[in-house]
Amino acid sequence: MPKVTVRYWAAAKAAAGLAEEPYDADTLAEALAAVRTRHPGELAHVLRRCSFLVDGDPVGTRGHETVRLAEGGTVEVLPPFAGG
């Protein structure tokens, strides 16, 4: 199972209480489920409004279960923000 780094930005970073953390996950859906398990409070709510980049590529409307993660990859968690 690939080890990836999940990086939080803006409101997601504030809700997580840290900038990034490692996860083991095959897909984006698995990584986000693990994030929700580890952070069941505010961050779980913030994730509903976020967009995601996987290794620099926007996920867009693709199903999270179809987005494969690579060893050493990154998932950027981007909440909406004013002016963005």
Side-chain angles (χ1 to χ4, degrees), residues 39-81:
H39 304 279
E42 182 61 24
L43 182 57
H45 295 291
V46 171
L47 289 177
R48 293 182 197 146
R49 301 183 312 268
C50 290
S51 58
F52 305 95
L53 299 177
V54 173
D55 296 332
D57 295 323
V59 171
T61 59
R62 290 183 287 160
H64 294 168
E65 66 282 351
T66 69
V67 179
R68 306 291 301 170
L69 302 178
E71 179 67 32
T74 59
V75 174
E76 309 281 346
V77 180
L78 307 169
F81 56 94

